[in-house]
Amino acid sequence: MRKLMWAAMLAMSGMMASGAMATEVHVTTANPVIDLTISETIETPPDIATFSTGVQTMAPTASAAVRANNVQMASVVARLKTLGIADRDIQTTQINLNQQFDYRDGQQIFKGYQASNMVNAKLRDLKKLGAFLDALAVDGATNFSGPMFGIDDDSNFREAARDKVWASAMARARSLARKAGYNDVRVLRVEETDNQGRFAPMAMAVRTSMNDMEKSIPISPGELSVGASMSFTFEMVK
């Protein structure tokens, strides 16, 4: 006889403030058990691309550098919106203003002020990616980093990955049970491990100056892996 402790987390509405509650369920088994951890993935093309873009400007004074940067950045953001990127998909991530110097014969020579502004944006129509890069260069963007491909809603793919995990686990457990002289198995415990790194990009990321980019850059989105991982305990049964 073997006793197996099964910890089940109970998520109940109205208990968020006090935290999750747990109950311990003691399951008594008459037969040997099998412990398995199974991981599976689903491959799918991405449907979104995120990137960082922005502008840098130089001027003799701080106020002039900021004004020039604001004008140039406004043009870039306006272009993003004309390409169908919503306000909610554009986020300012960095604004800098720094003095710039040259060094000659050990002397520090003031060059002026450099202002920079960067935003992250999410493109939901990947067919527009090439045109998008061309348009940014025309409208004054001086820096670009990305794209990083992803899936906007991966819930269906995660569920499909869980189905693969379940099928694989049942098949393996039954195979092991039969090798041990048993006919079947019954599930005693199932625990899912959250797969935080579920996106495995198969495409390149580019970081460069927009002035160095050629128009109509070929972009290969590739495929992404959406995974699920689960641990099981099975009892072998006759």
Side-chain angles (χ1 to χ4, degrees), residues 3 8-9 14 19-20 44 53 69 88 94 113 128 177-178 220 236:
K3 276 195 171 183
M9 300 303 296
T44 182
T53 188
N69 192 271
R88 65 187 175 95
Q94 182 177 317
Y113 288 87
K128 294 182 177 179
R178 288 166 186 154
S220 301
M236 295 186 283

Side-chain angles (χ1 to χ4, degrees), residues 57 59-69 97-99 110 112-115:
T57 53
T61 66
S63 59
V66 170
R67 283 196 302 269
N69 192 271
L97 178 65
N98 297 296
Q99 293 179 326
F110 177 69
Y113 288 87
Q114 182 183 73

Side-chain angles (χ1 to χ4, degrees), residues 3-149:
K3 276 195 171 183
L4 183 72
M5 183 179 294
W6 185 4
M9 300 303 296
L10 300 179
M12 301 178 64
S13 61
M15 292 188 177
M16 295 301 293
S18 59
M21 296 180 61
T23 61
E24 292 182 353
V25 180
H26 296 274
V27 180
T28 300
T29 64
N31 301 312
V33 300
I34 300 170
D35 292 315
L36 294 176
T37 298
I38 305 293
S39 299
E40 296 284 0
T41 59
I42 298 293
E43 308 299 323
T44 182
D47 58 13
I48 58 172
T50 57
F51 50 85
S52 177
T53 188
V55 297
Q56 289 183 340
T57 53
M58 282 282 294
T61 66
S63 59
V66 170
R67 283 196 302 269
N69 192 271
N70 289 344
V71 171
Q72 202 166 328
M73 194 63 192
S75 177
V76 171
V77 172
R79 172 60 72 175
L80 293 177
K81 293 180 179 180
T82 62
L83 291 170
I85 299 180
D87 287 340
R88 65 187 175 95
D89 290 330
I90 303 173
Q91 182 181 52
T92 299
T93 58
Q94 182 177 317
I95 298 176
N96 287 321
L97 178 65
N98 297 296
Q99 293 179 326
Q100 299 295 306
F101 298 91
D102 277 337
Y103 292 88
R104 297 175 186 171
D105 300 325
Q107 298 294 317
Q108 183 174 274
I109 301 173
F110 177 69
K111 290 176 56 179
Y113 288 87
Q114 182 183 73
S116 63
N117 190 333
M118 298 294 293
V119 297
N120 280 348
K122 182 184 296 183
L123 184 66
R124 298 178 184 273
D125 184 355
L126 297 187
K127 294 179 181 178
K128 294 182 177 179
L129 189 53
F132 162 78
L133 297 178
D134 294 347
L136 282 184
V138 171
D139 282 296
T142 58
N143 290 284
F144 175 86
S145 178
M148 293 299 294
F149 295 101

Side-chain angles (χ1 to χ4, degrees), residues 23-24 58 76 104 158 165 185 201 214 224 231:
T23 61
E24 292 182 353
M58 282 282 294
V76 171
R104 297 175 186 171
R158 286 174 66 87
V165 167
V185 295
E214 297 180 2
L224 304 177
S231 295

